Amino acid sequence: STLTGISDKGMLLVLGMNPLNNQEISIQPTNWFSPPTQPYRIKTQFDQEYRYLNLDELSKTVGWEVEIEGKTLNIFSEIGKVNNIIYEELSDVSRMSIDLNPATPWELYELSSEWEVVVDANTDQSIADGFPEKPPESNIIQPDEEQQNEGETGEIVTKPPRPVVKLGSNQTIIKGKLPDGYGVKVSTLKSPDRISIEVRKDALVERNIIWATGLNWRQQYLTLNSDRFPVFWLQVKPNSGLKLQPIWTDKTQMKGTASLLEITNTWGSLAAINAGYFNRNNLLPLGAIRQNNQWFSGPILNRGALAWNDAGMIKMARLKLIETLKISSGRELEMDLLNTGYVKAGIARYTGDWGKSYTPLTLNEVLIVVENNQITRQIEATDDKTQISIPEKGYLLTFRSFKSAVSAFPIGANIAIATKTTPPEFNEYPHILGAGPLLLQQGKIVVDAEAEGFNIWFAQQRAIRSGIGVTATGELLIVTVHNRIGGPGPDLTELAQLIQQLGAVEGLNFDGGSSTSLVLGGHLLNRTPDTAARVHNGLGLFWR
């Protein structure tokens, strides 16, 4: 037999279905022009990292014809008729109601500053004439750069402008502007069949969906003092059959950025959140990335990090890595830079996990080639463009503003390396991701940005945030928090308080602002793709 399904992303954006809270994994209650008490109960199944909702029974019920043409799934439905469009403006909400006969699929296209709903229905020109295109509203102000919250549109308006209705071939297209701080919320009703489009400041659809065994998709508003924050998070139960793994842009090297959606596709992860910091200019990591006991990037500046093993043990703390070079002459030198884009005077080490080659990050670096624990070559790199091969059975030592130490590394000398971490138990964990600052330890807020090498303003900055928490029972919380209604996102202390509300006793801040991204089943849950910046790495969730 053939089973026909569509992923969560397709269900939401292409067919216009709204997944409801569920209590069992194999069934997804869904609203699609159905009474609130009688949702469609759609069977679910998994294929690798995607969850699919079975369309076979639903197609028969609503009269769709489904066929497979090559790699394309064609869904044929009866073209509807728009009987009426009603528009109303309230204080903080504009609402458009579209009455249909019969119910028909619709698609939502949402960008940072505009939205579009395409309905598979015809509309009389006389109805469309009531919603003509107008010149831009005069009350739109473009603030200067300092007033804009990273990742947001920056527009300030007194109210959302009136939508426009355009007619296509067997389609009705409704387009509208999306002012800063507003979102679009689309739902369907029965008797009559109606699509309701609302542009409002509190547009989040709250959800608690058991998406897979031990994995819940959650989104709701959390209240802190007098503010309400939209929060999107994944709950991962301990011993759920799921595993965590660091993921990054290019499996062959540490350089590169991509959207988190692209990174999850590269690694085939069920879900992911953006994680550590990176340099947007040279596309290199600025924090710890350790996978299966290999340091692909070392920690910097005593910043907070997340460590875990495949048995489900998790630890968060401020992390240091010290490597001691022991030269056969008897001299010993310490260094704390390993496979990193972070630059400071001293010695840094680059291994094959960094990539096949190393390009100097500063001018006038001196590089020493070590193969099979023996110094074989010395290179003076006067520019920052020449690529230097990293030996397969060795590494490079690069000296920045520290040429006085080069004489201690003669060609032919043997080198041994001793490694230690602070805290020492971190060296026992095969997987580590660094970011910072730490938010919570043993249930207490411990935010100290300066102790982790951040500027003092960083802790006070209000922005969109990503973070991770662990509850007292070992449940993992993978969290993104967006702008409070009518204002900016949380500062670090507020983020700690919000994750605490979810039950976390340990917590860590990840890279935020335009980097903040949360992906589940190939769908970006927390924002529109055009507002999500390219990132270097993330924390991926996989089947064990």
Side-chain angles (χ1 to χ4, degrees):
S1 63
T2 299
L3 302 177
T4 308
I6 190 166
S7 68
D8 291 277
K9 182 178 181 179
M11 172 185 64
L12 285 161
L13 301 182
V14 179
L15 297 181
M17 295 181 170
N18 178 31
L20 305 175
N21 297 346
N22 66 353
Q23 299 299 319
E24 52 184 317
I25 298 167
S26 59
I27 297 293
Q28 177 58 64
T30 303
N31 173 266
W32 192 80
F33 299 100
S34 50
T37 58
Q38 297 177 334
Y40 293 106
R41 290 174 55 81
I42 303 177
K43 295 178 181 178
T44 67
Q45 69 180 70
F46 283 89
D47 182 15
Q48 298 181 27
E49 68 267 31
Y50 296 102
R51 184 182 80 152
Y52 288 92
L53 289 91
N54 190 301
L55 293 181
D56 296 321
E57 291 183 15
L58 177 65
S59 298
K60 293 177 183 177
T61 303
V62 300
W64 294 343
E65 292 184 18
V66 179
E67 72 170 19
I68 299 169
E69 183 180 5
K71 293 186 177 181
T72 302
L73 176 67
N74 293 321
I75 301 174
F76 299 95
S77 63
E78 182 180 350
I79 300 299
K81 171 75 173 177
V82 173
N83 296 325
N84 194 21
I85 298 179
I86 300 172
Y87 178 73
E88 56 183 331
E89 292 182 358
L90 305 174
S91 57
D92 281 332
V93 180
S94 68
R95 181 182 297 117
M96 177 176 273
S97 299
I98 304 161
D99 289 344
L100 293 162
N101 184 28
T104 184
W106 53 270
E107 298 180 58
L108 170 64
Y109 302 92
E110 187 178 355
L111 300 174
S112 60
S113 58
E114 59 187 11
W115 57 269
E116 181 176 298
V117 172
V118 179
V119 185
D120 292 342
N122 292 313
T123 302
D124 291 340
Q125 186 65 54
S126 59
I127 295 176
D129 289 342
F131 301 91
E133 196 155 6
K134 292 182 179 181
E137 296 281 345
S138 59
N139 59 359
I140 295 180
I141 304 167
Q142 292 290 347
D144 62 47
E145 218 172 280
E146 291 184 0
Q147 291 174 298
Q148 296 186 33
N149 183 31
E150 185 181 12
E152 298 302 305
T153 66
E155 290 186 348
I156 299 174
V157 301
T158 55
K159 61 180 181 180
R162 187 179 177 91
V164 174
V165 175
K166 294 184 176 182
L167 304 183
S169 177
N170 292 327
Q171 289 184 326
T172 300
I173 303 159
I174 302 105
K175 303 179 74 171
K177 295 292 183 183
L178 198 59
D180 193 22
Y182 282 77
V184 59
K185 183 176 183 179
V186 188
S187 56
T188 59
L189 304 169
K190 186 71 176 173
S191 299
D193 292 327
R194 175 177 292 172
I195 299 173
S196 175
I197 306 171
E198 294 183 330
V199 178
R200 55 193 302 152
K201 292 181 178 179
D202 56 344
L204 175 71
V205 177
E206 299 197 345
R207 292 194 169 103
N208 184 0
I209 292 174
I210 302 174
W211 196 81
T213 302
L215 174 60
N216 282 36
W217 165 13
R218 302 289 306 273
Q219 51 189 59
Q220 71 179 66
Y221 286 101
L222 294 184
T223 301
L224 191 61
N225 299 321
S226 59
D227 293 317
R228 294 176 69 209
F229 292 88
V231 182
F232 303 75
W233 78 100
L234 302 177
Q235 279 180 293
V236 184
K237 308 285 186 183
N239 304 314
S240 60
L242 300 170
K243 68 174 183 179
L244 298 173
Q245 185 174 310
I247 58 177
W248 56 90
T249 304
D250 188 340
K251 290 184 176 182
T252 66
Q253 61 172 335
M254 280 291 101
K255 184 173 183 176
T257 60
S259 72
L260 189 64
L261 275 171
E262 291 174 309
I263 296 174
T264 57
N265 286 338
T266 296
W267 290 83
S269 59
L270 288 172
I273 189 171
N274 68 292
Y277 300 100
F278 58 97
N279 186 310
R280 289 197 183 276
N281 295 320
N282 61 26
L283 313 182
L284 296 175
L286 298 173
I289 303 174
R290 177 171 157 114
Q291 183 189 90
N292 295 325
N293 293 307
Q294 291 179 263
W295 287 105
F296 290 85
S297 180
I300 63 171
L301 299 168
N302 194 36
R303 288 184 173 173
L306 167 74
W308 69 96
N309 62 24
D310 293 330
M313 295 178 62
I314 296 174
K315 184 174 178 63
M316 298 182 197
R318 297 188 181 105
L319 174 62
K320 281 185 179 180
L321 172 68
I322 300 295
E323 291 191 320
T324 302
L325 297 171
K326 298 181 179 181
I327 311 165
S328 54
S329 64
R331 187 165 180 184
E332 295 186 2
L333 288 171
E334 285 189 350
M335 58 184 180
D336 62 357
L337 296 181
L338 170 65
N339 290 345
T340 180
Y342 181 69
V343 174
K344 71 174 185 177
I347 309 174
R349 188 166 76 99
Y350 293 88
T351 72
D353 293 325
W354 180 256
K356 291 184 178 180
S357 64
Y358 165 78
T359 302
L361 301 181
T362 61
L363 298 174
N364 301 314
E365 294 184 3
V366 176
L367 293 111
I368 288 177
V369 181
V370 180
E371 297 182 74
N372 295 314
N373 300 318
Q374 186 177 54
I375 298 172
T376 60
R377 190 179 169 202
Q378 188 179 112
I379 303 170
E380 291 200 25
T382 56
D383 61 42
D384 57 357
K385 297 179 176 60
T386 303
Q387 292 186 351
I388 299 157
S389 296
I390 300 174
E392 285 187 17
K393 296 182 179 180
Y395 52 85
L396 298 179
L397 295 175
T398 178
F399 294 73
R400 303 184 185 116
S401 302
F402 196 37
K403 289 186 178 180
S404 59
V406 173
S407 60
F409 294 81
I411 294 176
N414 292 321
I415 295 182
I417 297 177
T419 301
K420 67 176 182 179
T421 61
T422 305
E425 59 267 31
F426 259 59
N427 204 40
E428 304 301 318
Y429 288 87
H431 314 296
I432 296 175
L433 270 175
L438 276 179
L439 301 173
L440 299 166
Q441 281 193 309
Q442 297 180 352
K444 296 180 180 179
I445 295 175
V446 294
V447 175
D448 189 344
E450 289 182 277
E452 299 186 25
F454 296 98
N455 293 327
I456 189 169
W457 59 265
F458 183 82
Q460 301 167 351
Q461 183 187 32
R462 293 176 165 185
I464 298 168
R465 302 282 183 187
S466 298
I468 190 161
V470 180
T471 68
T473 58
E475 187 175 83
L476 192 69
L477 308 172
I478 301 171
V479 184
T480 64
V481 182
H482 283 256
N483 290 339
R484 71 194 81 205
I485 295 176
D491 61 30
L492 290 173
T493 299
E494 288 175 323
L495 177 63
Q497 292 171 323
L498 290 167
I499 291 180
Q500 222 175 17
Q501 273 194 39
L502 299 179
V505 293
E506 306 285 326
L508 176 69
N509 178 63
F510 283 156
D511 188 15
S514 60
S515 295
T516 296
S517 302
L518 183 63
V519 171
L520 177 66
H523 179 41
L524 186 61
L525 297 181
N526 66 309
R527 67 193 309 161
T528 59
D530 68 309
T531 66
R534 297 166 70 89
V535 299
H536 179 277
N537 61 81
L539 177 65
L541 192 65
F542 297 79
W543 298 118
R544 190 172 291 282

